[in-house]
Amino acid sequence: MSRPVGILALQGAYQKHVDSLSRLGMTSQLIRKPIELDDCSALILPGGESTTISLLIQEYGFYDAIRSFSADHPVMGVCAGLILMAEKVDDDRVTPLALMPFKATRNVYGRQVHSFSADIKPAFTETGFRAQFIRAPGIENISENIEILATHEDKAVMVASGKHIAMSFHPELSDSTAIHEYWLNR
Ligand code: GLN
């Protein structure tokens, strides 16, 4: 049996990724200690509160562990997870892991009350995808090494480089598993 996909479970919206992965026939493991990464084939950094998750990453000794895991395993960042994957963040309270060369801007898509959904059309699907944005971050200063996989109102909302992908919206809140599947097959 293949090794599970790890989901960082320090804070935030990690649980629904378990369902998305199981609909794809994949097992997952909630990660609360760096050593647990050793069993995993890939890692999801879920949505939540990036300032809190960043503090917990430092406190639990995940900073170097995730960076070295990412050298040879795929990482997917969702919303706050995207903020953590960035090289730079517009908020000093977040120490980003710098896994992808772009700058994340927090809460550009409004406050919690302004959450919304929108149809996007990722480059790798024939059909559209209903994306849920919850106080979503923007993606700026995108290096030329990055592929833009989807846009919303002419702004990048989903990007990839190498094995890694990051998105402003929450794919685990959709009925579709297309994005998890694309990432794992990448
Ligand atoms: N607004 C949150 C942050 O900046 C991210 C929200 C989310 O992950 N849905 O950390």
Side-chain angles (χ1 to χ4, degrees), residues 77-97:
V78 171
C79 201
L82 171 144
I83 298 169
L84 291 161
M85 284 177 84
E87 191 165 273
K88 295 206 173 81
V89 179
D90 68 340
D91 186 328
D92 291 345
R93 292 172 299 171
V94 179
T95 306
L97 293 157

Side-chain angles (χ1 to χ4, degrees), residues 45-89:
L45 303 176
E49 185 57 39
S50 56
T51 50
T52 306
I53 300 175
S54 183
L55 278 176
L56 294 171
I57 282 176
Q58 305 281 351
E59 194 172 315
Y60 289 91
F62 270 110
Y63 192 84
D64 291 334
I66 294 175
R67 281 181 52 84
S68 58
F69 183 83
S70 74
D72 46 11
H73 300 86
V75 179
M76 166 162 132
V78 171
C79 201
L82 171 144
I83 298 169
L84 291 161
M85 284 177 84
E87 191 165 273
K88 295 206 173 81
V89 179

Side-chain angles (χ1 to χ4, degrees), residues 11-13 46-53 78-84 89-91 94 105-108 110-112 115 132-137 167-170 172-173:
Q11 188 269 341
E49 185 57 39
S50 56
T51 50
T52 306
I53 300 175
V78 171
C79 201
L82 171 144
I83 298 169
L84 291 161
V89 179
D90 68 340
D91 186 328
V94 179
T105 46
R106 296 187 63 216
N107 301 327
V108 294
R111 301 174 61 78
Q112 194 78 34
S115 298
Q132 307 285 334
F133 291 80
I134 305 171
R135 291 172 64 227
M167 65 224 74
S168 300
F169 57 90
H170 284 260
E172 79 284 9
L173 299 181

